[in-house]
């Protein structure tokens, strides 16, 4: 039995799984996507920027730019599945939390994955929670940015629970200010 466990443990990384339950692609490669912030968004400007309904629309990059970047980053990341619709070109530090809109250091092809997995839809739920906390001044902007850039899965576990809700939403997320999240047209 011990030998089977050791063999299974050795095979997990080769199968793309780490820590037994976390797909390796759930978190971006920190060397390629460390995160980047928008200098116009600070703790002193959140009430005029990220907490204003519709503000993210004013800084969101165009789909042509993000789709082209997504395709090149899918190759750079070495994903086995290269079908673009399997990924969201996501901001590691979300626009709603002052992430850089167009820096490739803040954008990565995040896998959607399926229900119960650490994919893009679970991260979107965390983003909605974090922006509410920041705009209510219950969490600092800097703390939220650091958690998203560091390990969004750990932040999800802290604020939403240990089991990811990665089910595809039936409607757009009601962020703190009612803005939409991403341009994939749910």
């Amino acid at each position: 039995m011990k030998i089977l466990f050791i063999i299974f443990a050795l095979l997990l990384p080769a199968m793309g799984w780490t820590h037994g339950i976390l797909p390796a692609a759930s978190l971006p490669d920190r060397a390629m996507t460390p995160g980047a912030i928008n200098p116009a968004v600070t703790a002193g400007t959140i009430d005029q920027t990220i907490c204003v309904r519709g503000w993210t629309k004013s800084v969101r990059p165009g789909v042509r730019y993000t789709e082209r970047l997504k395709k090149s980053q899918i190759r750079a990341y070495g994903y086995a599945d290269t079908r673009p619709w399997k990924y969201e070109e996501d901001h590691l530090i979300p626009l709603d939390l002052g992430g850089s809109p167009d820096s490739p250091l803040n954008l990565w092809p995040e896998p959607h994955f399926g229900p119960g997995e650490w994919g893009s839809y679970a991260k979107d739920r965390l983003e909605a929670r974090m922006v509410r906390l920041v705009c209510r001044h219950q969490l600092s902007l800097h703390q939220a940015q650091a958690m998203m850039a560091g390990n969004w899965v750990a932040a999800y576990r802290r604020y939403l629970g240990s089991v990811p809700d990665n089910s595809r939403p039936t409607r757009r997320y009601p962020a703190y200010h009612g803005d939409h999240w991403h341009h994939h047209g749910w």
Side-chain angles (χ1 to χ4, degrees):
M1 187 65 152
K2 237 182 189 178
I3 289 191
L4 285 176
F5 178 77
I6 291 170
I7 291 171
F8 182 69
L10 291 173
L11 288 175
L12 283 174
M15 295 173 4
W17 289 79
T18 57
H19 308 301
I21 58 167
L22 182 62
S26 293
L27 299 173
D29 179 319
R30 291 181 65 86
M32 291 173 33
T33 313
I37 59 171
N38 181 343
V41 179
T42 65
T45 65
I46 63 171
D47 292 327
Q48 293 80 41
T49 55
I50 65 172
C51 298
V52 174
R53 181 183 181 101
W55 182 82
T56 59
K57 289 179 188 177
S58 71
V59 297
R60 185 174 303 285
V63 174
R64 284 177 84 172
Y65 172 74
T66 57
E67 284 300 308
R68 195 173 5 189
L69 183 60
K70 176 169 54 172
K71 289 175 185 174
S72 77
Q73 286 182 332
I74 286 171
R75 289 189 301 275
Y77 265 81
Y79 290 146
D81 189 338
T82 60
R83 296 175 289 180
W85 61 89
K86 294 284 191 164
Y87 306 89
E88 171 185 334
E89 188 65 8
D90 198 16
H91 294 89
L92 178 59
I93 301 172
L95 297 178
D96 309 77
L97 293 173
S100 172
D102 56 4
S103 172
L105 298 175
N106 196 45
L107 286 157
W108 65 293
E110 181 181 16
H112 290 302
F113 291 131
E117 296 180 283
W118 297 105
S120 64
Y121 305 126
K123 184 172 177 284
D124 288 345
R125 285 177 169 81
L126 174 62
E127 292 170 15
R129 173 79 171 133
M130 299 287 264
V131 76
R132 281 192 302 273
L133 292 171
V134 169
C135 290
R136 291 177 182 162
H137 304 280
Q138 296 172 330
L139 178 67
S140 80
L141 176 65
H142 178 73
Q143 287 174 312
Q145 290 172 337
M147 284 188 267
M148 295 304 288
N151 184 332
W152 74 264
V153 172
Y156 186 103
R157 287 178 172 144
R158 178 177 177 181
Y159 288 97
L160 296 174
S162 60
V163 178
D165 180 356
N166 194 49
S167 58
R168 188 177 178 107
T170 56
R171 59 183 174 80
R172 296 186 193 281
Y173 289 103
Y176 175 77
H177 42 75
D179 198 1
H180 74 284
W181 283 105
H182 301 285
H183 54 263
H184 41 69
W186 308 330

